Amino acid sequence: MNKVSIISTDDYIPHLLDSAVESHFQLLGLDSFLRPGLRVTLKPNLLMKRTPEEATTTHPEVVAAVVRALKKRGVTDITLADSPGGLYTVGALSGIYKTCGMTDMAQREEIQLNLDTGWREITTQTHRVTSFNIINPVAQADLMINICKLKTHCMTGLSGAVKNLFGCVPGLQKPEFHYRFKDGAEFSDMLIDLCETVKPAITFVDAVVSMEGDGPSGGTPIHTGLTLCAANPYSLDVVLCRLIHMPNEQAYTVKASFERGLASAYEAIELVGDTQKIDSIQSFRLPATKPVDFNTRLPKWIQGAVNAVTDRWLVPKPVIHLKQCIGCGKCAESCPAKTIAITDGKAYIDYGNCIKCYCCHEMCPVKAIHVKRSRLFRS
Ligand code: SF4
Ligand code: SF4
């Protein structure tokens, strides 16, 4: 099925969301995925402790509407699970569920919030990775439903259907992948392996309020008034790129899915629902990391040499604003290169070892880390 549905969804009001989710089900024939007795895991984006209004995490009312649609179809064994950035412990999960509004939602809708911090190794026949450790509720589910948030992403360009699945990898094993696949393109290719391994059956996108600018956590909320859905996560990400005017080659997961022959051109995807809304977003600020990404247009033989220069001088770097820093250590905890030290209650980066993955920027709870372009590229 190569269809993507797009529905105008102006607000997080339950009856509007119920109507939107029902439309997605009907337009895509999603009932065929479901049967009573199925064990379903919902995978929202719960990156960090942020309130729903901050647009960093999937809004709980979107999840609630999906739950109601499932229950209406006789599916009652429903667990919500994610491995956010940072530690994967019961304490960390409980705090994030509460702040993100998932605790209240789960009580009201009578679903389980995952507190099992175990994982299972799944071997794969994929491209770069031979096995992944996958959190138990995803590894054990009959069916996984991905519920992502439309956001920009400083490293991969887009945080959509494919990128959201990185939360299937437990806790601090995620920075290990950043260290192993330092380059954004390689890292995104690994994410395609992950997507092929966990295989979400359906993906919903919360694009009622999205995040533009330096996402996935340092950007700005923007009202986009939409929900989207598809069975094919690669097609869905192609549509998201079209929606926010991001060239496919700047969204590394989309680029990798084309290179692997998994994605279709936008013109080959059947868009259904409120199709005119594909042109409804006039402008959407892309991350500061993106405008200098010109190297992929050069001939392959010269890219290595240019990389050596651009890595040193032109690739945007994370800069800590010491006045804002509260010394919490979240950046150091998530830094795959272990190149951040906390001294006298402030964080300092040793740039000699920095691999420019922006995990620190992503995990800073007070937005004290900014992504700064080289002076040559600042407007
Ligand atoms: S300092 Fe930040 S950008 Fe550099 S390696 Fe560490 S987490 Fe990545
Ligand atoms: S830069 Fe941010 S994450 Fe790092 S110690 Fe300071 S406040 Fe915490």
Side-chain angles (χ1 to χ4, degrees):
M1 182 164 59
N2 200 12
K3 273 188 192 176
V4 173
S5 54
I6 178 166
I7 296 292
S8 182
T9 316
D10 218 35
D11 208 337
Y12 291 111
I13 297 169
H15 76 88
L16 287 182
L17 287 163
D18 283 339
S19 160
V21 171
E22 279 306 320
S23 298
H24 290 300
F25 264 80
Q26 279 158 27
L27 288 163
L28 300 178
L30 299 180
D31 284 9
S32 62
F33 288 96
L34 305 174
R35 59 181 158 74
L38 218 52
R39 186 162 42 164
V40 172
T41 291
L42 306 179
K43 162 67 183 80
N45 184 326
L46 298 182
L47 177 64
M48 64 203 301
K49 257 190 187 182
R50 288 264 171 93
T51 62
E53 294 68 37
E54 292 174 276
T56 305
T57 52
T58 305
H59 199 286
E61 290 304 334
V62 175
V63 180
V66 173
V67 169
R68 288 191 291 271
L70 293 175
K71 289 198 169 177
K72 203 169 148 185
R73 289 158 174 87
V75 177
T76 54
D77 187 349
I78 304 170
T79 302
L80 179 144
D82 190 15
S83 166
L87 297 174
Y88 188 48
T89 60
V90 171
L93 284 176
S94 304
I96 288 173
Y97 290 149
K98 194 166 188 320
T99 306
C100 296
M102 296 297 169
T103 307
D104 287 348
M105 182 280 298
Q107 273 169 9
R108 200 178 69 220
E109 303 297 335
E110 299 182 346
I111 63 161
Q112 300 167 57
L113 292 176
N114 175 57
L115 291 174
D116 170 0
T117 55
W119 64 81
R120 186 198 286 174
E121 184 182 2
I122 299 183
T123 51
T124 69
Q125 299 291 323
T126 47
H127 194 218
R128 288 185 183 270
V129 177
T130 51
S131 74
F132 283 102
N133 290 336
I134 300 295
I135 58 172
N136 278 340
V138 171
Q140 293 163 357
D142 296 323
L143 191 96
M144 194 252 278
I145 299 181
N146 190 17
I147 316 181
C148 62
K149 183 89 175 167
L150 172 57
K151 298 188 288 181
T152 47
H153 194 285
C154 279
M155 188 194 193
T156 60
L158 173 75
S159 180
V162 171
K163 178 66 187 67
N164 192 43
L165 300 171
F166 198 38
C168 297
V169 173
L172 296 177
Q173 294 184 30
K174 287 193 279 295
E176 291 172 23
F177 277 102
H178 277 286
Y179 202 66
R180 202 165 142 198
F181 301 106
K182 297 183 181 74
D183 172 76
E186 285 180 1
F187 181 79
S188 297
D189 201 30
M190 176 280 295
L191 290 175
I192 302 292
D193 283 353
L194 179 61
C195 186
E196 289 295 291
T197 304
V198 297
K199 293 186 188 306
I202 305 167
T203 300
F204 287 93
V205 186
D206 166 9
V208 179
V209 178
S210 306
M211 179 176 277
E212 65 172 350
D214 289 340
S217 63
T220 318
I222 174 173
H223 180 264
T224 40
L226 298 167
T227 53
L228 295 96
C229 184
N232 183 327
Y234 308 114
S235 297
L236 188 45
D237 280 350
V238 169
V239 170
L240 292 180
C241 276
R242 171 70 166 68
L243 189 65
I244 64 170
H245 316 287
M246 179 177 278
N248 286 340
E249 63 272 15
Q250 290 197 357
Y252 288 147
T253 49
V254 172
K255 187 168 175 271
S257 65
F258 274 109
E259 285 165 1
R260 302 268 290 265
L262 295 163
S264 313
Y266 173 73
E267 294 70 26
I269 297 167
E270 188 184 350
L271 195 64
V272 292
D274 298 327
T275 55
Q276 77 287 358
K277 288 286 176 184
I278 193 69
D279 294 317
S280 61
I281 301 175
Q282 297 306 311
S283 73
F284 199 92
R285 215 155 36 82
L286 301 187
T289 46
K290 283 295 139 187
V292 294
D293 183 26
F294 58 85
N295 194 22
T296 48
R297 293 185 198 155
L298 298 174
K300 277 223 169 345
W301 61 270
I302 205 173
Q303 284 184 11
V306 173
N307 269 340
V309 177
T310 56
D311 279 359
R312 178 78 181 87
W313 298 107
L314 304 182
V315 174
K317 61 180 186 180
V319 175
I320 296 172
H321 284 211
L322 293 179
K323 273 193 185 155
Q324 284 171 263
C325 174
I326 56 170
C328 68
K330 294 267 181 211
C331 53
E333 179 187 275
S334 63
C335 175
K338 300 284 168 239
T339 196
I340 303 178
I342 309 294
T343 309
D344 295 333
K346 299 288 176 187
Y348 296 90
I349 298 174
D350 171 1
Y351 288 106
N353 296 321
C354 173
I355 59 170
K356 315 276 173 57
C357 65
Y358 313 115
C359 291
C360 51
H361 165 264
E362 186 171 330
M363 294 315 299
C364 179
V366 294
K367 301 189 182 182
I369 304 182
H370 300 211
V371 176
K372 259 205 167 136
R373 279 191 257 159
S374 156
R375 249 177 232 153
L376 282 173
F377 289 90
R378 272 181 233 158
S379 48

